[in-house]
């Protein structure tokens, strides 16, 4: 039985704080198109969960990514998948449900 990789969590408030300080974050929103149409974190890259493993070529293994979805479940799954492929990721717990900053 394999053990799940330990995924580091990051709070929406911390992500908002970093963006406010103009820190360069690589955010990937794994929600569906209709969800993202309602607003996403400014600068976030949209890759629906179902496409993440077929679009790995768009990501850089040397960079860290913050995974986002509506509540934190799908982004948690995406985080596990990407960690298993050697990527450095954090999961934004609470997802867009807990996002209180601006959206685009």
């Amino acid at each position: 039985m394999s053990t799940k990789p330990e995924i580091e969590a990051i709070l929406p408030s911390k992500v908002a704080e970093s963006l406010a300080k103009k820190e360069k974050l690589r955010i990937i929103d794994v929600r569906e198109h209709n969800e993202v149409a309602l607003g996403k974190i400014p600068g976030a890259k949209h890759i629906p969960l179902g496409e993440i493993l077929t679009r790995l070529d768009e990501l850089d293994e040397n960079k860290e990514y913050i995974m986002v979805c509506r509540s934190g479940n799908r982004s948690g799954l995406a985080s596990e998948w990407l960690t298993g492929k050697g990527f450095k990721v954090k999961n934004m717990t609470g997802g867009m449900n807990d996002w209180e900053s601006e959206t685009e």
Side-chain angles (χ1 to χ4, degrees):
M1 194 170 138
S2 65
T3 57
K4 277 187 177 180
E6 190 59 42
I7 307 296
E8 194 175 336
I10 187 166
L11 293 170
S13 56
K14 180 78 180 101
V15 174
E17 203 176 281
S18 294
L19 288 174
K21 292 183 197 157
K22 303 284 185 238
E23 289 177 29
K24 175 83 178 104
L25 301 180
R26 287 167 202 84
I27 300 167
I28 299 177
D29 193 321
V30 298
R31 295 176 299 156
E32 295 303 316
H33 297 280
N34 59 328
E35 295 174 286
V36 170
L38 302 174
K40 66 179 179 67
I41 297 172
K45 181 178 181 70
H46 178 223
I47 304 179
L49 182 62
E51 297 173 19
I52 203 104
L53 293 175
T54 59
R55 293 174 62 182
L56 293 176
D57 58 331
E58 296 176 37
L59 308 179
D60 182 340
E61 281 187 42
N62 301 311
K63 305 221 169 19
E64 182 180 84
Y65 296 93
I66 297 171
M67 308 308 289
V68 175
C69 70
R70 187 176 50 84
S71 65
N73 291 331
R74 284 173 287 175
S75 57
L77 189 55
S79 296
E80 283 179 32
W81 293 348
L82 290 175
T83 300
K85 298 276 183 203
F87 289 91
K88 295 187 280 280
V89 295
K90 289 182 181 172
N91 183 25
M92 190 176 93
T93 53
M96 293 303 287
N97 285 344
D98 291 352
W99 183 254
E100 292 174 357
S101 195
E102 64 182 288
T103 58
E104 62 179 19

